[in-house]
């Protein structure tokens, strides 16, 4: 398997649940990202990891907790979410963080999250 | 405040005709622009890019035009094909931030 793989594809959770989104990239990239896409809004950058270190945290609420155990895997741990957190969560990777603006991002298919 | 704006949420074009997708930006520091294409149930994929030192970049049926004075770029697809039906995102970045700022996307439908 190649590219960026995200699981699960769909997730429905209650506000008191704890769940995790998983992302795996098979491209040998050094940077990984979490984006959020809400309806009729731009893609919003949430977190960036470069060489397993978090280098960007875009004022994301603490109910979203990222984890990058190695350069190929990225998790987004979710707890006590709100209905307004329902969105498509996209993982992406690029060769390096400092060249991301000048190179292509490779996206996964996303996890469609619904919070009830 | 959105720095990258795609004011047309949708566009419908007949097969064989030209599709023109527009994007406006407000940050004069942006120096690199990209277009991504997204099919349903898939992640966005890179389509074409342009540096601010150019005003045009062409790749097959896809051409991106940049008008820096107007802070406007457009993506031309000619001839349009049904397989081009997708959501197209415009994105921009500035050298000192290394972050991509995305627009809200335009849904293109190409009908036979």
């Amino acid at each position: 398997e190649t590219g960026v793989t995200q699981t699960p594809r769909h997730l429905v959770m209650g506000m008191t649940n704890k769940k995790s989104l998983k992302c795996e990239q098979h491209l040998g990239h050094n940077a990984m990202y979490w984006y959020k896409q809400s309806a009729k809004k731009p893609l919003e950058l949430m977190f960036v990891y470069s060489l397993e270190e978090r280098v960007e945290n875009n004022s994301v609420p603490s109910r979203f907790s990222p984890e990058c155990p190695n350069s190929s895997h990225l998790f987004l741990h979710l707890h006590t979410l709100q209905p307004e957190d329902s969105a498509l969560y996209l993982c992406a990777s690029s060769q390096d963080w400092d060249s991301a603006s000048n190179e292509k991002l490779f996206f996964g298919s996303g996890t469609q999250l619904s919070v009830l | 405040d959105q720095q990258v704006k795609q004011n047309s949420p949708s566009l419908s074009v007949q097969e064989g005709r030209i599709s023109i997708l527009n994007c406006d930006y407000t940050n004069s520091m942006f120096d690199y622009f990209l277009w991504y294409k997204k099919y349903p149930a898939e992640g966005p994929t890179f389509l074409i890019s342009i540096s601010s030192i150019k005003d045009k970049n062409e790749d097959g049926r896809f051409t991106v035009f940049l008008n820096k004075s107007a802070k406007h770029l457009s993506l031309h697809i000619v001839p349009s094909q049904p397989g081009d039906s997708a959501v197209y995102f415009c994105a921009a970045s500035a050298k000192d931030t290394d972050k991509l700022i995305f627009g809200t996307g335009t849904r293109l439908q190409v009908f036979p």
Side-chain angles (χ1 to χ4, degrees):
Chain A
E1 193 170 348
T2 59
V4 181
T5 305
Q6 286 187 247
T7 55
R9 295 294 299 271
H10 301 274
L11 179 62
V12 179
M13 59 187 289
M15 290 189 284
T16 58
N17 292 157
K18 288 185 181 181
K19 297 286 184 183
S20 295
L21 309 185
K22 179 183 175 183
C23 176
E24 185 174 0
Q25 58 98 359
H26 309 269
L27 301 167
H29 287 167
N30 295 318
M32 296 188 77
Y33 309 74
W34 280 116
Y35 278 87
K36 175 183 178 182
Q37 187 188 5
S38 303
K40 299 183 181 179
K41 287 189 177 180
L43 279 164
E44 300 172 58
L45 179 63
M46 300 175 73
F47 301 104
V48 182
Y49 276 82
S50 176
L51 297 171
E52 301 154 44
E53 285 193 23
R54 193 189 309 180
V55 295
E56 187 79 20
N57 179 344
N58 265 9
S59 304
V60 180
S62 59
R63 56 186 184 268
F64 295 91
S65 175
E67 178 191 2
C68 187
N70 55 63
S71 59
S72 298
H73 292 86
L74 186 65
F75 294 90
L76 187 62
H77 304 299
L78 316 172
H79 64 97
T80 60
L81 293 193
Q82 305 298 312
E84 59 264 28
D85 296 322
S86 298
L88 179 67
Y89 289 85
L90 289 160
C91 174
S93 71
S94 66
Q95 187 58 57
D96 295 293
W97 161 237
D98 58 5
S99 63
S101 60
N102 292 318
E103 290 187 15
K104 303 182 289 284
L105 285 176
F106 291 79
F107 283 90
S109 300
T111 295
Q112 187 65 54
L113 174 68
S114 297
V115 181
L116 305 179
Chain B
D1 182 35
Q2 280 184 248
Q3 297 186 66
V4 177
K5 299 177 184 178
Q6 293 178 258
N7 293 318
S8 297
S10 64
L11 175 67
S12 188
V13 172
Q14 188 173 30
E15 182 178 7
R17 306 294 287 265
I18 185 170
S19 295
I20 300 176
L21 296 98
N22 294 303
C23 178
D24 298 292
Y25 60 96
T26 57
N27 189 343
S28 58
M29 298 301 292
F30 286 150
D31 61 355
Y32 198 74
F33 304 88
L34 306 90
W35 285 93
Y36 281 81
K37 175 180 179 180
K38 184 181 183 301
Y39 290 118
E42 294 184 16
T45 55
F46 170 77
L47 184 59
I48 193 170
S49 63
I50 188 167
S51 165
S52 61
I53 61 173
K54 295 185 175 182
D55 55 17
K56 177 183 174 181
N57 187 26
E58 189 172 352
D59 183 3
R61 297 184 297 113
F62 302 90
T63 303
V64 57
F65 294 92
L66 176 62
N67 182 334
K68 288 186 288 293
S69 60
K71 295 192 179 70
H72 176 83
L73 67 156
S74 60
L75 174 67
H76 293 213
I77 307 173
V78 56
S80 301
Q81 299 174 354
D84 296 328
S85 298
V87 177
Y88 290 79
F89 291 96
C90 173
S93 69
K95 264 186 191 170
D96 59 347
T97 65
D98 294 323
K99 277 195 295 189
L100 278 179
I101 307 298
F102 284 87
T104 51
T106 296
R107 182 177 302 278
L108 172 66
Q109 183 179 6
V110 180
F111 59 92

